[in-house]
Amino acid sequence: MKSTLKNIAVDCADPYALARFWGEVLGIPVHPDDEPGEDEVGVPLDGGRELLFLKVPEPKAVKNRLHLCLEPDGRRDREVERLLALGATMCDDRRADDGTGWAVLADPEGNEFCVLRSAAERQATPATPATSATAPDEA
């Protein structure tokens, strides 16, 4: 027996607004049946899965124990700029001068996520042994 990952659920104050943000991040529109003010709003993913935003009464209080890591199809730094323009905030800039590393951002409700290097960037600048043990995009 096994389980299948069906949804990734995110607790939030405004499901529609946060789903729209993540829809822009991923280039996927909010589910067409979902509307502002609903308690549950989804962004459809491949394989019938959803990034599902659920309304909860309490605000986010501590660092995420689980987060999403994004691999852009273009340059990491340009993607960081795009996401900041969409409403993300920089939490921890772990980009190194040699081009390795990643950026930790937060969505408009404070949920942390990482922006890794693209596959092309990883091929062009391989990780050094010192960074590969700690960097999530180097493994």
Side-chain angles (χ1 to χ4, degrees), residues 62-81:
V62 297
K63 184 181 181 306
N64 298 8
R65 294 293 303 231
L66 173 74
H67 68 269
L68 304 178
C69 291
L70 305 177
E71 180 186 76
D73 57 10
R75 298 193 50 80
R76 176 202 57 210
D77 294 347
R78 290 186 72 176
E79 181 66 351
V80 168
E81 290 173 18

Side-chain angles (χ1 to χ4, degrees), residues 75-77 94-102 116-132 135 137-139:
R75 298 193 50 80
R76 176 202 57 210
D77 294 347
R94 295 188 178 204
R95 296 175 287 181
D97 291 340
D98 67 357
T100 61
W102 65 97
L116 312 177
R117 295 185 301 158
S118 69
E121 289 173 304
R122 285 194 312 277
Q123 286 179 337
T125 311
T128 61
T131 60
S132 64
D137 68 331
E138 308 300 342

Side-chain angles (χ1 to χ4, degrees), residues 1 6-7 17 21-24 51 58 63-64 67 74 89 92 94 97 99 108 112 123-124 138:
M1 182 187 302
K6 182 65 178 162
N7 298 314
F21 169 83
W22 279 100
E24 288 288 326
L51 190 52
E58 66 278 350
K63 184 181 181 306
N64 298 8
H67 68 269
T89 55
D92 189 8
R94 295 188 178 204
D97 291 340
E112 298 91 0
Q123 286 179 337
E138 308 300 342

Side-chain angles (χ1 to χ4, degrees), residues 24 29 90 93 103:
E24 288 288 326
M90 180 69 72
D93 194 340

